[in-house]
Amino acid sequence: METEQTNPSTTASEDRTARRAVTVFPVLVLAAGALGLLIPGAFTDWKASVPYLLGIVMFCMGLTMTPLDFKGVAKRPWVVLLGLAAQYLVMPSLGWLIAHALSLPPQLAAGVILVGCAPGGTASNVVTYLARGDVALSVSVTSVSTLLAPLLTPALTLLLAGTFLPIDAGAMTTDILKTVLLPVLAGLAVRLLAGRYVDRFLGALPWLSALTISVIVAVVVAGSATAIKSAAAVVLLAVVLHNGLGLTLGYAVGKLARLGQPASRALAFEVGLQNSGLAASLATAHFSPLAALPAAVFSVWHNVSGAVVAAWMARRSRKA
């Protein structure tokens, strides 16, 4: 009886924490973007720190990972493979199509495509939980897509954005290895070796990541503050289309494969929500601050849309 009484309270506590995260995170990012726009001079010298800031985010991600995240791959390899295929086919293709459909300038086109070529973001795990989706599948796809990013993100960016701007895929691969893969593996190693101590701080890691990504957004916005007024509307339209179609097609993939509602919801968020921090870092380093603008806007929007869609899906589950 005691276990039955404590489980609901634990679930409710986790639910409140998740809801708080998806509510506060967009506000933090939006406030950071406003600061970057209003006082760009305070952040323009921070450009060189963006890869290191991203490394902090990815190290935090590694600290939250455990071998169980990868055991899910062994249990359902074809489902995880389907999620990875959807992640790295749907979003890059949508980015390319939207860039052409809106006749975006080369820098913005490359930025939109780069967002599409990034791996899934950790926010997808939180909103999948809120939507009562398959969290284990979501975590597995996020973890594996992140590990594959050094190989797939530069190759897809070169293929799809190479007609807009010159792409140094080799340098991009090196940057992803340094700022994504190595920090994630380091975080995972620390969790394995000192998990008892890391567990005490797990609750603080999402907030540290949120604050760090907010600083990245402020730097990105500050770097392109003069161009934002003329480009803001078209960038927002591109991001809304990219995210909305990604959520829809990700869910459709799960339904067509007859995976059931929980797994379909997980795939919707895995496809529709991206690691926009990585995209912003790469765009800033390899293109320009203007090319990083779509990633900055995506950072805000995909958390807002993800929370709204998750709430709608959860309400449908309760009615059912």
Side-chain angles (χ1 to χ4, degrees):
M1 290 297 295
E2 290 179 357
T3 302
E4 290 178 359
Q5 290 173 349
T6 55
N7 278 345
S9 62
T10 300
T11 302
S13 175
E14 291 174 350
D15 195 61
R16 284 194 299 270
T17 300
R19 290 182 185 280
R20 193 179 300 120
V22 297
T23 302
V24 175
F25 182 51
V27 175
L28 285 174
V29 176
L30 188 60
L35 283 175
L37 187 62
L38 294 173
I39 48 173
F43 299 98
T44 50
D45 293 334
W46 291 29
K47 178 180 175 181
S49 67
V50 169
Y52 300 99
L53 293 171
L54 178 63
I56 293 173
V57 175
M58 303 315 298
F59 179 72
C60 290
M61 177 182 176
L63 287 175
T64 65
M65 295 167 64
T66 68
L68 290 175
D69 299 336
F70 300 96
K71 286 183 179 179
V73 180
K75 290 180 180 178
R76 296 182 292 177
W78 81 269
V79 179
V80 175
L81 182 61
L82 179 64
L84 291 171
Q87 167 68 42
Y88 279 115
L89 289 175
V90 171
M91 290 302 277
S93 300
L94 284 175
W96 185 87
L97 289 171
I98 290 169
H100 280 277
L102 298 180
S103 299
L104 296 178
Q107 295 287 342
L108 291 179
V112 170
I113 292 171
L114 183 54
V115 170
C117 296
T122 53
S124 61
N125 308 149
V126 179
V127 292
T128 296
Y129 169 78
L130 290 177
R132 290 167 171 75
D134 190 332
V135 178
L137 175 61
S138 175
V139 171
S140 294
V141 175
T142 299
S143 301
V144 178
S145 69
T146 299
L147 296 180
L148 291 176
L151 175 66
L152 295 180
T153 297
L156 289 169
T157 304
L158 176 62
L159 176 67
L160 299 174
T163 57
F164 293 97
L165 292 175
I167 309 292
D168 189 342
M172 190 176 290
T173 298
T174 301
D175 281 352
I176 298 176
L177 286 171
K178 291 189 297 185
T179 61
V180 175
L181 189 60
L182 289 180
V184 167
L185 293 178
L188 178 58
V190 172
R191 180 71 183 276
L192 291 174
L193 295 173
R196 188 174 52 176
Y197 302 100
V198 174
D199 289 345
R200 301 176 185 176
F201 305 99
L202 282 179
L205 294 179
W207 300 106
L208 176 59
S209 297
L211 288 171
T212 307
I213 291 177
S214 298
V215 176
I216 293 175
V217 169
V219 175
V220 168
V221 171
S224 55
T226 56
I228 284 179
K229 291 183 179 180
S230 59
V234 70
V235 170
L236 180 60
L237 176 59
V239 165
V240 171
L241 288 173
H242 204 181
N243 170 247
L245 291 172
L247 289 169
T248 303
L249 293 177
Y251 183 81
V253 167
K255 295 297 288 184
L256 289 173
R258 298 183 179 181
L259 298 182
Q261 284 285 5
S264 297
R265 291 174 181 179
L267 291 188
F269 296 119
E270 281 305 310
V271 175
L273 276 61
Q274 299 293 90
N275 188 336
S276 48
L278 171 61
S281 176
L282 292 175
T284 302
H286 295 273
F287 304 144
S288 69
L290 181 60
L293 184 58
V297 176
F298 206 98
S299 291
V300 180
W301 178 255
H302 78 161
N303 283 282
V304 174
S305 67
V308 170
V309 173
W312 175 71
M313 288 180 171
R315 189 175 296 112
R316 289 189 62 189
S317 290
R318 285 193 293 269
K319 289 182 178 179

